[in-house]
């Protein structure tokens, strides 16, 4: 065989792509809907300024001011009549005082824990991973209900402006969730700056309503809302100290707690901030809470002044009634009213998009800790956590289908999860303060303990007063879900212990005797292929085994085996299987074959692959049923050797030729990091070298000529620890690939698969392919 290094022998070639599997129909459909798959090296982390972070992360929190006041009135007016409006402001002030306490607690959370996770990370670091699952369940439920509530509230804002669509509330809401699902699977980033605009539009429009409304109130021109059919029933005034009245007040207070939802959003996204992350997140948290408190107070004030009443159907909303009264019925006023409704709808829908980023990351975080299935850690077609996004969509849509797109009904599922998260964060930070006892720890302990205690009290209140309205389901789900997560983690830990390498299992990987047996059911091409593979294993002994369940068929196999010269050196053993239980017979054979402790047995199963549908009807799957119990035996390995029959029948190739366009490489940035001085510096002035100044496409590299190439590292091969140190690095660009061979080293600082590398040196060859031995190099960031 001619060698490339001999004159007149074939010249070595660059590395080329040869073929790819044909894309199945499901993948082609996914590609058509979502676009081309993104290269994992394009995954970047965008940092946000405080202005953009406020707009992006606070949409969920600030938008809750659109329905917080309405949910308080939903219970006050039927119980106390018009006197409910006079109770509204004191209750709003109580809720705002809780807002201040929780905000003070979260100011510390974002300063200490600057990674994704929020209250889950706080609970995990201070109470351990088991207790942290309470926060995990709380946050996941919060995200699920947030999608349902925000989209339902956004649809209510839409149908308040266009009442003719009110009968399609549920359909519109589910459609919006479908759009959010598609957009996020396609790779819409929540960190995109466009998501900041709705928050500022909403704040500006509601501020305009509040300023104009208060100005009209001062002038005495602010009128009451004209109510129509469908408002909540107006009750009669009653004393506030009766048990029934106290229960109603607690219900209204619990409903008003929905105004604080989303307050934890910034703590879940501290890593998105520009440095210093903690300081910027703390200031943004305070600004967000201040805006929320101002809007909630203002909406409650004008609701009291205009006597805006909530409707049983949820539309028109209280904030839309206030805007309608404040702006009047003129053409300009109607335009301003529609602008308020549009901005309200926009921020609510944008707030519903926040969980589509937060939930998958939280699920990924919990799954990495081993408390959720590992599938939630996998990035999908467009580098997003697709499984988490789909799970969130299914859960939130199911809740809407069960309850309906009515915010007042959905609120019953809301605050328990939200305030449980607040409580875990407060207690966790209090424990941290008393454990570390650094400067001002007593003050921090008091604030966080107060926040945790108040939040826990609200959870208890909510669970009691909302129990019959749906809170019972959350109360039931909490312990079940928490227990399920803990049991799942226990199973993962058992599996890890079983797979852990101990001293006994770290013995030499070789064994004194290795035997191979091929289980056959016929003599055909698949059987010959399995025998060929068995010979490549260099076994001590090679045997073909057939379990006899049909005497006539076994005779045919014996004759075919004897007549096939390619199998003449392999003995055929016939083993009786009178009860036709092939797995049992295979296990018995394997146990007998490995009675000696120094013997390891490999059983090969030729498996013939047929068409997907007819193959399941016309053929059984015996190989899998036998291999499953065999794999549980010690010193026995079950290996299935596949053979594609359908490919021969159809005549269609399984793979397609590779094209240049199929090579998807990340864009190479221009910033270069110099390596330590012991490496050859490419740009060192006055250095003596044969350095090639101009970059050369790898496809144009020439054997026995110097070349300066740049490409993406696709493979790194390290020599075994028992051999001489060596490192082979494959570098590719759009024109092909070349191997860089480094002698005397096993690693290069800063070099990893996916990095971009510049290299220069003399082009040689190895195994018929171009290679550069010990090149000069730089790593491109």
């Amino acid at each position: 065989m001619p060698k490339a290094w001999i004159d007149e022998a074939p010249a070595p070639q660059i590395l080329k792509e040869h073929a790819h599997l044909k894309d199945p129909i499901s993948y082609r459909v996914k590609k058509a809907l979502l676009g081309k798959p993104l290269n994992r090296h394009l995954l970047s982390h965008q940092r946000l300024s405080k202005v953009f972070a406020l707009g992006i992360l606070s949409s969920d929190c600030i938008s809750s001011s659109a329905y917080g006041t309405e949910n308080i009135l939903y219970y006050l007016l039927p119980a106390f009549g018009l006197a409910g409006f006079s109770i509204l402001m004191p209750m709003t002030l109580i809720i705002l005082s809780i807002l201040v306490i929780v905000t003070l607690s979260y100011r510390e959370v974002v300063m200490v824990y600057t990674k994704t996770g929020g209250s889950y990370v706080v609970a995990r670091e201070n109470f351990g991973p088991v207790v942290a699952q309470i926060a995990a369940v709380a946050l996941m439920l919060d995200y699920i209900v947030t999608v349902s509530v925000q989209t339902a509230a956004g649809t209510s804002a839409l149908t308040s402006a266009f009442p003719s669509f009110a009968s399609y509330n549920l359909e519109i809401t589910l459609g919006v969730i479908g759009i959010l699902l598609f957009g996020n699977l396609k790779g819409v980033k929540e960190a995109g700056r466009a998501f900041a605009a709705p928050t500022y539009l909403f704040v500006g429009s509601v501020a305009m309503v509040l300023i104009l409304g208060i100005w009209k109130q001062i002038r005495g021109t602010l009128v009451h809302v004209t109510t129509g059919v469908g408002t909540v029933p107006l009750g009669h005034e009653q004393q506030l100290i009766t048990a029934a009245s106290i229960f109603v007040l607690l219900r209204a207070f619990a409903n008003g707690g929905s105004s604080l939802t989303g307050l934890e959003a910034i703590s879940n996204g501290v890593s998105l901030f520009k440095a210093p992350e903690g300081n910027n997140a703390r200031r943004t948290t305070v600004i967000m809470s201040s805006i929320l408190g101002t809007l909630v107070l203002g909406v409650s004030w004008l609701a009291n002044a205009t006597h805006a009443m909530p409707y049983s159907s949820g539309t028109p909303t209280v904030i839309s009634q206030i805007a309608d009264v404040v702006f009047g019925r003129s053409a300009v006023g109607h335009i301003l009213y529609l602008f308020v409704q549009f901005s309200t709808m926009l921020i609510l829908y944008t707030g519903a998009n926040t969980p589509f980023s937060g939930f998958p990351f939280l699920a990924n975080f919990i799954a990495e800790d081993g408390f959720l299935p590992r599938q939630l850690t996998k990035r999908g077609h467009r580098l997003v956590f697709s499984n988490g996004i789909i799970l969130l969509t299914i859960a939130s849509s199911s809740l809407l289908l069960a309850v309906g797109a009515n915010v007042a009904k959905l609120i019953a599922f809301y605050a328990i999860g939200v305030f449980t998260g607040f409580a875990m964060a407060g207690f966790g930070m209090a424990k941290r303060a008393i454990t570390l006892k650094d400067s001002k720890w007593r003050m921090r302990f008091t604030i966080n303990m107060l926040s945790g205690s108040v939040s826990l009290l609200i959870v208890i209140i909510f669970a009691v007063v909302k129990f019959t309205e749906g809170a019972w389901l959350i109360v039931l789900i909490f312990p079940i879900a928490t227990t399920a997560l803990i049991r799942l983690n226990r199973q993962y830990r058992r599996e890890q212990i079983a797979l852990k390498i101990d001293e006994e299992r770290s013995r030499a990987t070789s064994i004194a005797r290795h035997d191979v047996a091929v289980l056959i059911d016929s003599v055909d091409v698949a059987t010959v292929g399995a025998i060929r593979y068995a010979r490549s294993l260099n076994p001590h002994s090679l045997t073909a085994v057939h379990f006899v369940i049909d005497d006539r068929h076994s005779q045919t196999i014996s004759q075919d085996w004897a007549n096939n010269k390619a199998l003449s050196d392999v003995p055929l053993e016939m083993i009786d299987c009178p009860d036709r239980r092939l797995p049992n017979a295979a296990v018995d054979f394997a146990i007998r074959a490995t009675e000696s402790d120094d013997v390891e047995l490999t059983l090969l199963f030729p498996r013939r692959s047929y068409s997907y549908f007819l193959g399941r009807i016309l053929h059984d799957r015996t190989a899998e049923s036998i291999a499953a119990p065999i794999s549980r035996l010690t010193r026995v390995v079950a290996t299935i050797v596949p053979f594609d029959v359908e490919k021969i029948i159809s005549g269609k190739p399984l793979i397609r030729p590779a094209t240049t366009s199929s090579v998807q490489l990340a864009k190479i940035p221009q910033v270069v990091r110099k390596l330590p001085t012991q490496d050859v510096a490419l740009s060192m002035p006055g250095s003596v070298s044969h350095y090639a100044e101009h970059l050369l496409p790898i496809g144009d590299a020439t054997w026995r000529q110097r070349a300066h190439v740049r490409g993406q590292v696709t493979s790194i091969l390290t020599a075994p620890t028992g051999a001489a140190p060596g490192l082979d690095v494959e570098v590719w660009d759009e024109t092909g690939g070349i191997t860089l061979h480094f002698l005397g080293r096993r690693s290069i600082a800063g070099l990893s698969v996916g990095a971009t590398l510049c290299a220069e040196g003399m082009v040689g060859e190895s195994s018929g392919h171009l290679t550069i031995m010990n090149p000069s190099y730089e790593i491109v960031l």
Side-chain angles (χ1 to χ4, degrees), residues 440-481:
K440 300 182 180 179
W441 70 270
R442 288 186 177 83
M443 182 182 68
R444 284 196 288 272
F445 173 80
T446 302
I447 291 174
N448 288 292
M449 181 58 72
L450 180 61
S451 175
S453 301
V454 170
S455 299
L456 179 61
L457 179 62
I458 294 175
V459 169
I460 296 172
I461 292 173
F462 205 95
V464 173
V465 301
K466 289 283 189 177
F467 189 82
T468 58
E469 296 181 22
W472 65 270
L473 182 60
I474 303 298
V475 173
L476 182 65
I477 288 176
F478 246 100
I480 294 176

Side-chain angles (χ1 to χ4, degrees), residues 18-227:
H18 297 290
H20 292 277
L21 288 175
K22 287 187 174 180
D23 295 336
I25 295 178
S26 59
Y27 184 83
R28 292 200 293 268
V29 171
K30 181 196 294 186
K31 190 175 178 180
L33 290 175
L34 303 180
K36 293 182 179 180
L38 294 180
N39 190 308
R40 70 181 182 87
H41 303 296
L42 298 176
L43 186 65
S44 61
H45 190 61
Q46 183 179 3
R47 296 283 180 160
L48 302 175
S49 64
K50 294 190 290 293
V51 173
F52 284 109
L54 176 64
I56 292 168
L57 299 177
S58 66
S59 58
D60 177 19
C61 178
I62 292 176
S63 63
S64 61
S65 62
Y67 51 80
T69 298
E70 181 171 347
N71 288 318
I72 298 175
L73 292 173
Y74 193 85
Y75 284 101
L76 289 181
L77 296 181
F80 303 104
L82 293 177
F85 286 109
S86 61
I87 304 173
L88 175 62
M89 288 308 298
M91 187 165 290
T92 300
L93 293 176
I94 294 174
I95 292 173
L96 294 184
S97 65
I98 297 173
L99 170 64
V100 172
I101 295 172
V102 176
T103 300
L104 291 175
S105 176
Y106 270 91
R107 282 178 77 251
E108 290 197 35
V109 172
V110 299
M111 281 294 294
V112 176
Y113 299 99
T114 57
K115 302 296 182 182
T116 302
S119 59
Y120 174 74
V121 175
V122 176
R124 188 189 65 180
E125 296 299 321
N126 293 284
F127 298 119
V130 175
V131 177
Q133 300 319 302
I134 299 175
V137 173
L139 285 172
M140 287 190 290
L141 289 175
D142 179 23
Y143 280 130
I144 291 170
V145 181
T146 293
V147 174
S148 301
V149 171
Q150 294 285 113
T151 51
T155 303
S156 296
L158 174 65
T159 54
S160 295
F162 303 100
S164 58
F165 293 118
S167 57
Y168 301 101
N169 266 12
L170 180 59
E171 291 80 1
I172 294 173
T173 304
L174 291 175
V176 170
I177 293 180
I179 293 172
L180 294 175
L181 167 67
F182 175 75
N184 282 276
L185 287 178
K186 195 172 177 64
V188 173
K189 300 289 186 182
E190 193 207 15
R193 296 188 173 187
F195 284 94
T199 300
Y200 291 108
L201 280 177
F202 174 76
V203 172
S205 63
V206 175
M208 185 168 53
V209 172
L210 298 182
I211 293 171
L212 184 58
I214 294 174
W215 181 68
K216 281 190 172 184
Q217 185 182 20
I218 294 173
R219 293 186 58 193
T221 58
L222 185 65
V223 298
H224 285 183
V225 170
T226 302
T227 57

Side-chain angles (χ1 to χ4, degrees), residues 511-525:
I511 198 163
R513 174 173 170 173
H514 177 213
D515 295 339
V516 176
V518 182
L519 303 188
I520 67 169
D521 188 46
S522 61
V523 180
D524 55 15
V525 179

Side-chain angles (χ1 to χ4, degrees), residues 615-631:
R616 290 180 174 272
I617 298 174
L618 301 179
H619 305 278
D620 58 16
R621 303 178 69 86
T622 308
E624 285 82 354
S625 63
I626 299 176
I630 289 293
S631 62

